[in-house]
Amino acid sequence: MSATFPMNDDAPRTFDRTFAETLRRLDPATDPRVLDAAERAAFAIAQGHAAFDIAGEPDAHDLRAALRASRWIDTPAPQDPADPALPLVLEGDLLFLRRYREYERRLAQGLRRIASASLPDAEAAPIAPLFDTLFPPATRDPHQARAAALALRHPLLVITGGPGTGKTTTIARMLLLSMAHAIAGGRALRIALAAPTGRAAERMAESLRNAIDGMRNDGVDATLCDALPRDAGTLHRLLGTIHDRPRFRHGPDLPLAFDLVVVDEASMVDLPLMCKLVEAIPDGARLVLLGDRDQLPSVEAGDVLAAIADAATTMERDAPVAATQGFGGIRVNLQRAFRQSDALDLAPLATAVREGDADTALALLRSGTLRGVDFHEDVADPLAPPLRDVLLTPWRELGSVDAANADDIAAALALAGRARLLTALRNGPQGAIALNARIEEALAGAQRDPYFHGRLVAITENSYRHGLFNGDLGLCLRGEDGTAVWFRTAAGLRPFHPGALPAHAGAFAMTVHKAQGSEFDTTWVQLPRQPARTLSRELVYTAMTRARNALHVCASETSLRAALGMRAQRVSGLASRLRGA
């Protein structure tokens, strides 16, 4: 049986304690149980939850009564706004900070609005021949074909699937069908492609360009192919950031000017951002969410994709849907496993990890029969011989890049994404910070320049002024004019002075959370020597599925079994709210 643990077990923050203390100071008669619950509701946000669940408390009945009686807590009907003068909201057994309860309520309301839109009749457009070209009856994958067909008939579609199930291929064909359908009806179709991070958006655009070029080579009308977008951006860019403001340019009062919005890596989108995106979708437009429901949830509060997918009507047959359940969203789960590459056979291992089957996962790792997968059992330090040179070789090549040659720089940035060491921890000897420092010392020596030639850095916070976003990868290069850090941005290759960069960190090793939305030719996964509360099957699954051609797993049987026995579940009321419960 698997256990469920919070995403971290740090002590409450100063903010959480100050919040509760402020309530006590404003009303010294406030019940201490209410103050404690208020502190825990605030701390729940830091742990990634949307609310504090009181159901598991030993005195839940009495606590519930105390909360309902408190002057600080509102208890509105699920569909009604909460009192803006009160900081907390109690719904059932969930105690929310009011702002996060409102995000959930508004998100559910927005999803219902999108799902209820009327679309032009898909059957009226003569696109059946194109559909059969894209999905030949003799070889078509029924799940992919179903997803593409449903996208024409339903305004809110969730497409989920693991690695190698053809999500990008499905989206490319769905976009082509949607464009053909619009043109046949004499309508324009404005399409936006977006992802939570710059790296994920870049991957999305590259994959879609390759898929569209492949369809063109297969004889699909070049005019249709040319009409599709070839670039993707971050959700923040799509919504329009406003410098030094927490809100976006686009929202309910200024909707996006698009007819179809496709969001990749939707499992990474947190509750506030998804709420703001949904509210910016114009009436009558379509929204397609694409992601792996079994990956780690977002770093910030919420597990939004999982909640939406769980509440949507899952389509398992080709029959048309006369009426939908719940909030009206439709989900298709892609299931057929396509190989990620000729060099990597990851599907059996990914399935065992996703299902928490430690016996099968260990047997597969130990068998040595999986192409491209190497299990370094009981290795706690990949920087020790004999693995040291194998790990460092891809990064040593970065030291020979010519900083005066733009083509060299572009090639080096592509090379920089070839390998990454992923860890479950940020701090400690096996954490990303310490591992980065050791890798940098191995590459450039103990007395190295902080921004030595060939160092990789990753942006850790969005900076709209610089046009750099969380997860963007930079390469430090020394040229005639000194050292610059080069990034691939929406405006192309750009150099930045190290001192002018927004918050950043070394990027040879990173936490699994930071690696979401990225893929690497070679992925190293390092699990802690001892079981840690940060471990979960979702973390291991997410880490392993970052590999494109080769996977190295450094772990003990104890740590792997402990990880696969834990679930990274979040407290949220969104799925129940969408179901109308």
Side-chain angles (χ1 to χ4, degrees), residues 186-207:
R187 295 175 288 106
L189 184 65
R190 300 164 297 177
I191 302 171
L193 307 176
T197 67
R199 179 58 186 144
E202 183 181 325
R203 269 189 56 215
M204 180 190 194
E206 181 182 5
S207 298

Side-chain angles (χ1 to χ4, degrees), residues 111 114-116 119 143 146-160 287-290 305 308-317 319-333:
L111 290 169
I114 294 170
S116 66
L119 298 181
H143 302 285
R146 184 179 301 119
L150 288 169
L152 300 177
R153 303 201 298 268
H154 295 278
L156 181 53
L157 181 66
V158 182
I159 302 176
T160 56
L287 174 64
V288 177
L289 300 177
L290 185 71
L305 178 66
I308 297 173
D310 291 348
T313 299
T314 301
M315 294 297 296
E316 296 291 351
R317 296 182 299 276
V321 178
T324 59
Q325 303 169 0
F327 69 101
I330 298 294
R331 175 193 182 189
V332 177
N333 186 42

Side-chain angles (χ1 to χ4, degrees), residues 354-379:
R354 185 179 65 242
E355 295 175 352
D357 185 350
D359 289 339
T360 299
L362 283 163
L364 287 168
L365 286 167
R366 287 167 172 162
S367 71
T369 59
L370 298 178
R371 274 188 324 279
V373 178
D374 288 294
F375 184 35
H376 310 291
E377 188 165 6
D378 295 325
V379 170

Side-chain angles (χ1 to χ4, degrees), residues 312-542:
T313 299
T314 301
M315 294 297 296
E316 296 291 351
R317 296 182 299 276
D318 290 318
V321 178
T324 59
Q325 303 169 0
F327 69 101
I330 298 294
R331 175 193 182 189
V332 177
N333 186 42
L334 305 182
Q335 297 176 9
R336 180 180 172 188
F338 298 86
R339 284 188 308 190
Q340 290 192 275
S341 73
D342 291 335
L344 182 63
D345 182 19
L346 187 60
L349 179 60
T351 298
V353 170
R354 185 179 65 242
E355 295 175 352
D357 185 350
D359 289 339
T360 299
L362 283 163
L364 287 168
L365 286 167
R366 287 167 172 162
S367 71
T369 59
L370 298 178
R371 274 188 324 279
V373 178
D374 288 294
F375 184 35
H376 310 291
E377 188 165 6
D378 295 325
V379 170
D381 183 7
L383 279 162
L387 298 181
R388 178 185 178 91
D389 287 339
V390 180
L391 173 66
L392 296 176
T393 293
W395 297 319
R396 293 193 191 280
E397 299 178 40
L398 298 175
S400 60
V401 177
D402 181 1
N405 187 322
D407 290 338
D408 229 22
I409 296 171
L413 277 170
L415 176 66
R418 281 177 46 185
R420 198 71 82 248
L421 173 57
L422 305 183
T423 174
L425 308 172
R426 183 173 183 271
N427 299 306
Q430 292 180 300
I433 294 175
L435 287 171
N436 257 306
R438 293 182 59 208
I439 291 171
E440 291 178 1
E441 181 174 347
L443 293 173
Q447 304 302 316
R448 62 191 178 279
D449 184 300
Y451 295 92
F452 63 87
H453 190 86
R455 185 193 182 204
L456 293 182
V457 299
I459 299 300
T460 57
E461 66 178 24
N462 294 331
S463 175
Y464 310 109
R465 179 168 61 89
H466 293 83
L468 296 174
F469 297 87
N470 191 2
D472 284 355
L473 187 69
L475 176 62
C476 303
L477 298 175
R478 181 175 292 279
E480 294 182 357
D481 298 326
T483 298
V485 187
W486 288 83
F487 289 85
R488 188 186 303 279
T489 71
L493 285 176
R494 286 188 61 193
F496 293 85
H497 187 278
L501 286 178
H504 57 281
F508 296 104
M510 62 176 52
T511 63
V512 179
H513 264 299
K514 284 291 184 184
Q516 280 187 271
S518 297
E519 279 187 349
F520 313 105
D521 288 351
T522 301
T523 298
W524 291 74
V525 179
Q526 172 70 64
L527 296 188
R529 291 185 180 90
Q530 301 297 326
R533 293 289 290 258
T534 54
L535 289 176
S536 67
R537 70 178 66 167
E538 290 83 0
L539 181 139
V540 177
Y541 173 83
T542 302

